[in-house]
Amino acid sequence: MNPKHHDGTAEAEKSPSTRQSQAYEGLRALLRSGTFAPGTRLTEADLTQRFGVSRSTMRAVLVQLAQEGYVTSEVNRGVRTRDFTVEEALDILEARETLEAALAGKAAERATEEEIEELRRTLQLMADCQANGDEAGYSQGNRTFHQQIKRAAHQQTLARAYDTLLYPLVMRQYRDLTVPHPRTGSLEEHQAIFLAVLTRNPEAAAAAMRHHVGSARRALLLRSARDAED
């Protein structure tokens, strides 16, 4: 009998490795999007229902995510989303600064004309969002811009290293919601990065990106200092 007709669903046709991979990508995306607050307990029962996989499959997914630093697993506490110390957060932000500066430099050397036009359109979108007070739209444009720089670098080793960073989780935990968004000077910093890419100046692109990303690390240092005084 043809298994396709016997099972009657597309899900049944998927191999265990495919189901595990899809559950991994889905949960990882949720974690990176900030859906869960730091320290949130994740239960196998809830996750298996959400992703439609077995408990053994979800257990394997959680083990992989724990190895990559997205979650922690402790006796009597279960699996929880990662909660970063200030020192861990600063380490991650410093690594991001180094990697993104290198990617921006490569983008200045290797970006295609089409990729440069995509960056230009994203910048215009960000400018429009800032003018209209659309914070969510600006944030999305900001994420798009950084992803476009990464792709325009055409440097897979750097890109893979960048993708392993837990930066979105750090910002979910430490972003100061009392500070106006977008941050003053943010758009101008993106424009400086773009101009350096446009003029094929890798040194300027790397420096502009380092300054831009470094602002997040400096803001975190200021916040942690304020918290220590309270």
Side-chain angles (χ1 to χ4, degrees), residues 30-230:
L30 286 178
L31 291 167
R32 292 183 67 87
S33 71
T35 299
F36 304 107
T40 299
R41 189 167 185 270
L42 303 177
T43 64
E44 287 181 10
D46 290 342
L47 294 174
T48 54
Q49 184 175 8
R50 182 191 286 259
F51 293 104
V53 295
S54 67
R55 286 205 172 198
S56 61
T57 296
M58 184 50 64
R59 201 168 296 128
V61 167
L62 291 172
V63 166
Q64 184 175 355
L65 289 169
Q67 291 172 339
E68 295 172 358
Y70 286 94
V71 299
T72 59
S73 180
E74 299 177 18
V75 177
N76 298 328
R77 292 194 74 229
V79 177
R80 294 180 181 273
T81 54
R82 182 78 176 274
D83 192 349
F84 299 90
T85 66
V86 171
E87 291 74 18
E88 289 171 333
L90 289 174
D91 280 351
I92 289 168
L93 291 175
E94 189 175 68
R96 180 190 181 222
E97 190 176 324
T98 299
L99 288 170
E100 283 218 82
L103 285 166
K106 289 300 178 185
E109 295 176 358
R110 301 175 177 178
T112 65
E113 293 303 316
E114 182 180 354
E115 288 167 340
I116 289 174
E117 284 307 306
E118 289 175 352
L119 286 166
R120 191 194 304 276
R121 287 193 292 270
T122 299
L123 265 182
Q124 185 57 56
L125 172 66
M126 292 169 67
D128 292 343
C129 288
Q130 179 171 280
N132 296 325
D134 183 358
E135 294 186 6
Y138 186 92
S139 292
Q140 180 58 55
N142 175 61
R143 289 191 292 271
T144 298
F145 183 90
H146 285 268
Q147 289 297 315
Q148 288 173 337
I149 288 289
K150 182 185 73 173
R151 289 193 295 271
H154 299 282
Q155 221 292 355
Q156 293 306 309
T157 301
L158 283 174
R160 282 194 296 270
Y162 174 81
D163 287 339
T164 65
L165 290 177
L166 303 177
Y167 169 75
L169 281 68
V170 168
M171 296 312 293
R172 170 68 171 81
Q173 180 176 344
Y174 281 100
R175 183 185 163 198
D176 190 345
L177 297 178
T178 66
V179 174
H181 181 74
R183 174 179 51 77
T184 301
S186 173
L187 182 62
E188 290 76 12
E189 290 166 10
H190 286 87
Q191 290 169 336
I193 296 165
F194 171 73
L195 182 61
V197 172
L198 178 66
T199 57
R200 304 293 183 182
N201 188 330
E203 291 79 13
M209 181 65 84
R210 186 177 291 278
H211 170 74
H212 170 61
V213 177
S215 64
R217 182 164 60 88
R218 290 188 290 273
L220 178 54
L221 280 168
L222 290 173
R223 175 179 170 179
S224 61
R226 287 197 304 271
D227 291 345
E229 293 172 357
D230 292 341

